Amino acid sequence: MSDQTNKTQAMPDGQKKRRGVGFWVLWGGVGAVALLAASGGAGWIFLNKIDLGGFVARRATAALGRTVQVGSLHVTPGRWLKVDMTKVRLANIPGGTGPDMVRVGHLAAEVNVSSLLHGPMLVRHVAISDVYVMVERTPEHLPNWRFGKQADTGAKVEPHPAATGLDDRSHYPTALDVTVQNGEVIYRTAHGSEFRTTLKTVSLQTDGADKPVHLAVDGAYNDTPVTMSATLQPFSVLRQTNTPYGIDMEAKSGDLTITFKGTATDPINADGIKGAVTANSPTSHPMMQIAGLPAQQDIAMQMSGQFEHDGNVWSVTQGKGMVKDNPMTITLMRLVEGGRGEPDHVTADIAFSKLNLNEFLRGQKTSASSDTDIPLTVDRAPDPLVDAKLSVKQLSYNALTFSNVALAVSVTPGAVAVEMLGLDYMGATLKASGKIEAADKGAAHVGAAVNVSGVDIEKLRRALGFGPIPLRGRIDMQMRADATQKTLNAAVRSADVAAAVSMTGGSLEKKVIGLASADLAMLFNKPTGLTPVSCLLGVVSSRGGVGQALPLRIRTGSGTVAANARFDLNRKWFDLTFGTQASTTGRFALDIPVRVSGSFSSPKVRPASWSADGRAMMAQTERLNTLPAAVKQFAQKNACYQVIGK
């Protein structure tokens, strides 16, 4: 017995547990027939006259626990034993998509007879044609690539082979040259998704067991043409069970090029893979076609990182790249295949130095209009589930540019939860959280709590198209917004909003106090300059961009101003009435209210009549009691909260 055979005998049962489909199809029948031929004695010279298909089919059926059929099998004796098989079929498991897992129209190979005695087996001139392989999980999550006793536990979540013993590779044969013509390999998930690989030609060649192996594939994936070339470590390394097997591969499809250089601890089952991966596509069209997604525009993409496939876990870490001139860093992208009846789970942590959403959502580089929109699509039974973190130093959306954007979002059945959204805009900081939930007729309900701090009034009025206003400083705001719509822009336009606006510093032009109080002293000495604002508080409510600010208070050293306002952001129109509280102004003040109304950019100013009802409306305190809890708590911290209603 050879050293390799001794290793096999000494290896624990846990390390002999798995065999790939390729092993059973390519080598199982060849090995059985070759051993039979070697032990044929006097019948050796007549072996090529005998059809051994039935015998091998019975032996393979017993070994695999699955029905195997062989149309015909003939062996021609010689130093190189010639084997010829036709119409080979391996049955699928009960509940599988079709009756067969594997079909092979024709298989021919030559086996070195002396290698049968001394091992490992040496084969050459392997030719296979008309191959069909269906690799799938049933709806019960049972895999069809486990045989015998392994099939009984196949529905369980499979640990990485390292945890249960690696597949014993010590007996694997050396194939000097292999060609495959006209093949199809289908992987079908438990949820019914199919990934189809078509093989026009596959060739494998090596000069010996200790020489590198060269693999070339010409085919298609999901009907998208793909070619692949790879240099693999020698078969002598493959047979070293505890040694990771080296792979250097390049795949191309159109303008898409993917490279991988690394190792696999379980290469036969394509598991335990670890190494460097790169992807480059000037248009991303091939990638979209492979993924089954529409490609409506050219999106140049470059990416590199560390790829791992470990049992049910697929991941990319330490990634860097560029997506349509938007540099990105991938801290983590991970897919965990779901267990029986469970969805997959995706985790992502990606950072961009800049990201222009207009380029992706509109397909053109412009930010002059507001036609970019995001659909609010919520799946009631999503697969996969998602937990994602995204950070962007500079984000463009329509005509707006945000900085220091941070987003944490999760996708669960029937809901998309925004656990945290933070960004800076015009010197202000926004922090928000909320949830998007599935609603009727393809719409979604959006509920959000928003806190805005440090809004510069001068910058805000310019952004809204207001004319000059007499108030200076920064304001803070706490807001609750709700809407049920199909897109983000529609939700923003139609949202029901309840908010409190606060200022604890800043200044107001003195002439406003004089104008609002109708102070007769202004006839002799018109006030100039600014007076400090000790507090400002306003309660704002709106629906669809139309609403009111009521009550509104501004307390200064020169007097307290009470106001109410109506506004229409769609028409850029407002109507503001304000006046002073008599107890806070001078003895010459008449406290006659003033009305300012019209367009944001060119309002009209005139005296206003202030009825008893109007004063009562100005003093409404019940509006504070109906605010959402977080908004009310925010308002209560403002000193002006105590004077509303007095």
Side-chain angles (χ1 to χ4, degrees):
M1 300 292 289
S2 66
D3 292 340
Q4 295 289 1
T5 304
N6 292 334
K7 289 180 183 178
T8 302
Q9 292 177 338
M11 193 165 291
D13 291 340
Q15 287 186 296
K16 302 178 186 178
K17 75 173 210 169
R18 302 203 296 168
R19 299 290 183 268
V21 172
F23 172 77
W24 291 112
V25 174
L26 298 179
W27 313 126
V30 174
V33 172
L35 289 173
L36 175 66
S39 62
W44 176 266
I45 59 175
F46 302 105
L47 196 58
N48 64 338
K49 305 297 183 181
I50 304 173
D51 185 351
L52 301 172
F55 174 80
V56 171
R58 290 190 295 272
R59 294 293 298 271
T61 297
L64 300 178
R66 195 100 53 88
T67 300
V68 176
Q69 298 177 356
V70 179
S72 66
L73 191 156
H74 292 89
V75 177
T76 302
R79 187 169 69 89
W80 285 91
L81 192 72
K82 296 182 180 179
V83 180
D84 194 283
M85 304 174 68
T86 62
K87 298 181 179 178
V88 180
R89 300 178 66 180
L90 171 62
N92 206 349
I93 59 174
T97 302
D100 297 326
M101 177 185 175
V102 177
R103 294 194 298 269
V104 179
H106 180 250
L107 185 152
E110 295 184 5
V111 183
N112 185 280
V113 174
S114 62
S115 70
L116 298 176
L117 302 175
H118 305 290
M121 187 188 301
L122 178 64
V123 299
R124 69 179 185 183
H125 304 337
V126 180
I128 308 171
S129 61
D130 301 323
V131 179
Y132 168 87
V133 179
M134 167 63 78
V135 181
E136 64 176 330
R137 291 184 185 269
T138 66
E140 291 74 29
H141 224 77
L142 186 69
N144 72 342
W145 59 87
R146 295 287 179 259
F147 302 95
K149 293 182 179 180
Q150 293 304 317
D152 298 333
T153 58
K156 297 180 180 179
V157 176
E158 302 162 18
H160 185 272
T164 56
L166 294 174
D167 183 17
D168 173 22
R169 308 196 303 259
S170 61
H171 57 280
Y172 272 72
T174 296
L176 297 178
D177 58 294
V178 179
T179 60
V180 179
Q181 299 281 345
N182 189 25
E184 183 177 48
V185 179
I186 300 172
Y187 174 68
R188 183 180 176 87
T189 70
H191 306 289
S193 300
E194 283 192 358
F195 304 91
R196 186 182 303 268
T197 300
T198 303
L199 305 174
K200 291 183 180 179
T201 60
V202 178
S203 64
L204 182 147
Q205 188 275 331
T206 182
D207 294 330
D210 296 322
K211 302 297 183 182
V213 179
H214 302 284
L215 175 67
V217 178
D218 182 6
Y221 181 77
N222 286 351
D223 298 324
T224 301
V226 177
T227 60
M228 184 189 76
S229 61
T231 299
L232 314 176
Q233 286 189 297
F235 280 99
S236 59
V237 178
L238 177 65
R239 288 193 283 268
Q240 298 173 21
T241 300
N242 296 311
T243 301
Y245 185 62
I247 301 170
D248 190 347
M249 182 203 75
E250 180 181 81
K252 292 185 176 182
S253 178
D255 63 21
L256 170 65
T257 300
I258 298 175
T259 67
F260 172 81
K261 187 171 185 179
T263 60
T265 58
D266 189 7
I268 304 302
N269 292 290
D271 207 350
I273 299 173
K274 181 183 295 186
V277 64
T278 67
N280 183 22
S281 174
T283 66
S284 76
H285 286 198
M287 184 174 295
M288 295 296 102
Q289 291 172 352
I290 289 173
L293 300 174
Q296 300 178 350
Q297 56 174 304
D298 291 346
I299 299 177
M301 187 206 72
Q302 300 174 7
M303 190 273 290
S304 64
Q306 292 296 312
F307 172 80
E308 292 188 32
H309 173 212
D310 188 4
N312 293 322
V313 181
W314 307 69
S315 65
V316 174
T317 58
Q318 304 176 45
K320 293 184 178 181
M322 187 87 68
V323 179
K324 202 166 187 179
D325 299 325
N326 298 276
M328 70 173 180
T329 300
I330 301 173
T331 301
L332 174 66
M333 287 186 64
R334 180 175 62 208
L335 167 67
V336 179
E337 296 181 42
R340 182 173 182 175
E342 298 177 349
D344 297 338
H345 195 155
V346 172
T347 304
D349 188 348
I350 303 174
F352 286 87
S353 58
K354 67 182 183 69
L355 180 61
N356 189 342
L357 289 181
N358 301 321
E359 297 179 13
F360 296 96
L361 300 175
R362 290 207 301 266
Q364 55 186 353
K365 292 186 177 181
T366 176
S367 58
S369 62
S370 57
D371 56 356
T372 297
D373 206 352
I374 297 176
L376 299 176
T377 303
V378 180
D379 194 337
R380 297 184 186 273
D383 187 4
L385 305 179
V386 177
D387 283 296
K389 293 182 179 179
L390 175 69
S391 62
V392 186
K393 290 184 178 180
Q394 181 177 307
L395 174 69
S396 298
Y397 180 74
N398 285 316
L400 305 176
T401 300
F402 307 105
S403 59
N404 300 322
V405 179
L407 173 67
V409 62
S410 63
V411 177
T412 57
V416 177
V418 180
E419 298 163 6
M420 184 275 295
L421 170 63
L423 58 86
D424 295 338
Y425 179 63
M426 293 194 307
T429 298
L430 178 147
K431 294 182 179 179
S433 62
K435 184 177 289 188
I436 306 171
E437 299 175 287
D440 295 334
K441 299 181 180 179
H445 176 76
V446 182
V450 183
N451 180 276
V452 184
S453 59
V455 179
D456 186 285
I457 294 177
E458 180 65 14
K459 292 182 179 179
L460 178 63
R461 70 95 181 166
R462 290 179 180 176
L464 294 175
F466 273 58
I469 58 178
L471 188 64
R472 306 285 188 274
R474 294 180 179 271
I475 59 175
D476 301 329
M477 180 176 66
Q478 182 77 41
M479 178 178 69
R480 172 72 194 187
D482 292 271
T484 301
Q485 290 292 337
K486 293 183 178 181
T487 69
L488 178 61
N489 289 357
V492 171
R493 289 192 297 266
S494 65
D496 292 342
V497 177
V501 180
S502 172
M503 174 188 282
T504 56
S507 58
L508 181 70
E509 291 183 6
K510 291 181 179 179
K511 66 180 181 181
V512 174
I513 302 296
L515 180 64
S517 63
D519 194 335
L520 296 177
M522 292 183 61
L523 297 174
F524 308 100
N525 183 22
K526 292 184 178 181
T528 59
L530 303 172
T531 182
V533 173
S534 58
C535 67
L536 176 152
L537 178 63
V539 176
V540 180
S541 61
S542 70
R543 172 173 291 185
V546 179
Q548 60 182 353
L550 174 70
L552 174 63
R553 292 290 186 275
I554 305 176
R555 179 190 288 177
T556 73
S558 302
T560 297
V561 177
N564 70 74
R566 295 177 297 149
F567 57 86
D568 186 337
L569 298 179
N570 305 307
R571 294 193 297 142
K572 294 188 175 182
W573 171 92
F574 77 106
D575 186 358
L576 168 67
T577 300
F578 65 94
T580 53
Q581 291 184 335
S583 61
T584 65
T585 55
R587 58 182 176 177
F588 296 109
L590 301 178
D591 298 308
I592 300 174
V594 177
R595 184 179 183 186
V596 183
S597 63
S599 67
F600 286 176
S601 59
S602 181
K604 295 180 180 179
V605 181
R606 57 187 181 275
S609 59
W610 204 329
S611 65
D613 290 340
R615 290 186 180 275
M617 183 176 65
M618 292 288 295
Q620 286 186 45
T621 58
E622 66 270 16
R623 285 177 52 79
L624 296 175
N625 297 325
T626 60
L627 289 174
V631 179
K632 184 176 181 180
Q633 291 173 5
F634 171 84
Q636 288 174 328
K637 296 177 182 179
N638 190 290
C640 280
Y641 181 88
Q642 305 300 325
V643 302
I644 292 179
K646 293 182 179 180

